[in-house]
Amino acid sequence: MQLNRRFGNVQLPKIELINIKEKHRKKLMKGHFSDRLLAMIKEALDNKEQVILFQNRRGFSPVVECTTCGVAPQCPNCDVSLTYHKYRGELKCHYCNYQRAMPNSCAACGSSTLDTKGFGTEQIELELKELFPAHVIGRMDLDTTRGKHGYQKIIGAFEAREIDVLVGTQMLSKGLDFDNVSLVGILNADTMLNFPDFRAHERSYDMMVQVSGRAGRSKKQGNVAIQTFNPYHQILQQVSTTNYAEMYKEQLEERWQYHYPPYYRLIKITLKHKDYNKVENGINWLAKALQNVFKENMLGPTAPVVSRVRNQYIKNITIKIPPKQNLAETKQQMQRIKDTFQSVKDFRPIRFITDVDSQ
């Protein structure tokens, strides 16, 4: 079944790609906003309309870095740098919720030259308050909706038009219907597109089209502004013309070429344990056993982008199953290898997780 038009035949929004590489070069950026996006926000607010701005990262800044020695504060439990939350003056891990106060100086060299890199919803909210002091700016992300009814309060205030501009993460992209929103801005489309996952382009397309769908849901046609360093990216071009058929066809061709679902099945095996050597020995044993059976269709072992979470080290192996391979037989072979693996005393405490097609 296909849905080719909006309910009530409302027009689809007009989507505009803004080249921020060019804007930076011409010095037409104010913080994280291009002159074009600011003009569009101003026009919407002057017309007493509301604006939604999408930035799929919470916090003030994803990385705090010492400009003297280049060291960034890390989470003690996970292999990630801590995210700076200005409102509470703290550094936070978005994987295990570890938090600590923002330091005054670098723990590595003692220098007080700590700088922030990148930007999240909190930083956008603060910039907007400076740029549009006469208007009410709201923020909707995991931090502002944690409390009881937090989500409903923000949605209610926005529906009652008590908030003029709402900044948020993906939680504001789906299923919300505000008849007074005339503009949706996506602040940096590239972070989604450059995610290391074979589904990144498909997910980016979905996300951007979903967010765009919040604009102009009543009679008047809405506007969508997408800021990007690469406006000629195929996915962004497809989003700007809402060309689902072309995106679908291209993504399928790529999946076939590189042996990914839906043509090949993917099995991801993950080992987790707090002892690094245990995981390392376990994954190497497993890799040898699986390679004997699956040959060139076994990939790995590899460590994921975040290779330690909550003090557990993580290693992965991926197996690709060609279209004509017998699935029942494959399952039996996998089970045999898993049983042998878990009968080894040293490997028994290791968590063994199997995931099919859900990379």
Side-chain angles (χ1 to χ4, degrees):
M1 185 180 140
Q2 291 186 352
L3 287 171
N4 295 323
R5 56 191 177 86
R6 276 173 144 187
F7 175 77
N9 280 335
V10 173
Q11 273 182 298
L12 284 169
K14 187 163 149 282
I15 298 174
E16 186 178 322
L17 299 174
I18 300 168
N19 186 344
I20 49 176
K21 189 177 182 180
E22 196 66 12
K23 298 289 185 189
H24 275 289
R25 196 175 62 78
K26 290 180 177 171
K27 301 203 167 22
L28 293 172
M29 296 290 290
K30 255 193 190 169
H32 293 97
F33 295 89
S34 60
D35 57 341
R36 176 67 186 135
L37 179 54
L38 284 175
M40 291 170 90
I41 295 172
K42 187 178 183 308
E43 189 188 339
L45 294 175
D46 288 349
N47 291 335
K48 300 275 187 285
E49 291 159 350
Q50 289 167 294
V51 178
I52 283 178
L53 294 176
F54 175 77
Q55 167 57 14
N56 208 14
R57 183 163 264 182
R58 62 196 169 101
F60 181 84
S61 157
V63 181
V64 173
E65 190 178 88
C66 172
T67 54
T68 306
C69 71
V71 168
Q74 301 286 308
C75 173
N77 313 314
C78 312
D79 271 346
V80 284
S81 50
L82 295 166
T83 300
Y84 174 44
H85 288 246
K86 191 169 185 171
Y87 173 67
R88 303 185 69 138
E90 66 186 14
L91 295 172
K92 209 171 195 178
C93 173
H94 287 177
Y95 283 83
C96 71
N97 277 331
Y98 167 85
Q99 53 205 53
R100 63 178 237 227
M102 173 72 173
N104 297 319
S105 57
C106 171
C109 71
S111 165
S112 57
T113 55
L114 291 174
D115 192 17
T116 59
K117 290 197 171 355
F119 63 101
T121 44
E122 195 181 2
Q123 191 166 349
I124 295 306
E125 179 195 19
L126 292 170
E127 279 184 25
L128 282 167
K129 282 178 175 171
E130 280 180 29
L131 291 163
F132 300 99
H135 292 89
V136 181
I137 315 297
R139 173 162 59 95
M140 189 162 107
D141 54 28
L142 203 59
D143 300 314
T144 60
T145 56
R146 259 184 220 282
K148 203 178 176 190
H149 312 306
Y151 180 84
Q152 271 78 21
K153 269 184 206 158
I154 297 165
I155 294 295
F158 196 59
E159 269 179 340
R161 303 186 188 182
E162 291 161 15
I163 295 171
D164 301 311
V165 183
L166 184 60
V167 185
T169 53
Q170 62 188 29
M171 60 168 66
L172 55 67
S173 67
K174 292 185 177 77
L176 300 174
D177 191 358
F178 306 112
D179 59 2
N180 193 41
V181 173
S182 67
L183 172 66
V184 164
I186 295 171
L187 288 153
N188 186 351
D190 309 296
T191 47
M192 292 185 279
L193 289 166
N194 299 333
F195 195 74
D197 182 293
F198 76 91
R199 288 196 177 100
H201 286 179
E202 175 200 352
R203 284 181 179 150
S204 301
Y205 179 93
D206 284 351
M207 183 71 74
M208 283 185 260
V209 169
Q210 282 274 10
V211 175
S212 302
R214 302 312 104 209
R217 293 180 70 86
S218 53
K219 302 289 169 279
K220 188 183 167 188
Q221 186 181 23
N223 288 305
V224 177
I226 300 176
Q227 293 193 152
T228 170
F229 285 95
N230 183 9
Y232 304 106
H233 194 292
Q234 73 200 50
I235 289 289
L236 294 176
Q237 290 294 322
Q238 288 155 2
V239 168
S240 71
T241 53
T242 325
N243 195 339
Y244 179 79
E246 189 188 303
M247 183 277 296
Y248 179 76
K249 184 170 167 284
E250 276 185 19
Q251 291 302 309
L252 276 185
E253 281 168 10
E254 273 187 28
R255 302 274 183 94
W256 173 250
Q257 189 182 346
Y258 296 109
H259 298 172
Y260 277 115
Y263 302 108
Y264 278 57
R265 303 295 297 270
L266 276 194
I267 298 174
K268 184 170 83 167
I269 296 169
T270 303
L271 297 190
K272 286 184 182 183
H273 196 269
K274 62 179 186 295
D275 182 335
Y276 178 82
N277 292 328
K278 256 193 174 58
V279 176
E280 186 70 6
N281 295 337
I283 205 81
N284 289 336
W285 182 95
L286 201 56
K288 281 197 189 95
L290 290 166
Q291 191 139 36
N292 288 337
V293 177
F294 297 103
K295 312 287 189 283
E296 73 281 354
N297 284 324
M298 191 213 82
L299 308 177
T302 58
V305 181
V306 180
S307 57
R308 182 175 59 111
V309 173
R310 298 175 194 271
N311 275 323
Q312 300 257 321
Y313 290 95
I314 307 165
K315 286 280 169 109
N316 295 328
I317 285 175
T318 301
I319 294 158
K320 289 183 173 181
I321 303 173
K324 292 189 173 72
Q325 191 168 307
N326 185 313
L327 291 177
E329 209 174 290
T330 305
K331 200 173 174 184
Q332 282 170 358
Q333 289 169 321
M334 293 274 301
Q335 192 59 50
R336 267 201 302 274
I337 292 169
K338 183 181 177 180
D339 291 345
T340 313
F341 176 85
Q342 291 180 328
S343 69
V344 178
K345 186 168 165 265
D346 265 9
F347 300 158
R348 219 168 289 145
I350 302 172
R351 272 190 74 197
F352 189 115
I353 303 152
T354 312
D355 225 338
V356 181
D357 288 346
S358 67
Q359 292 262 306

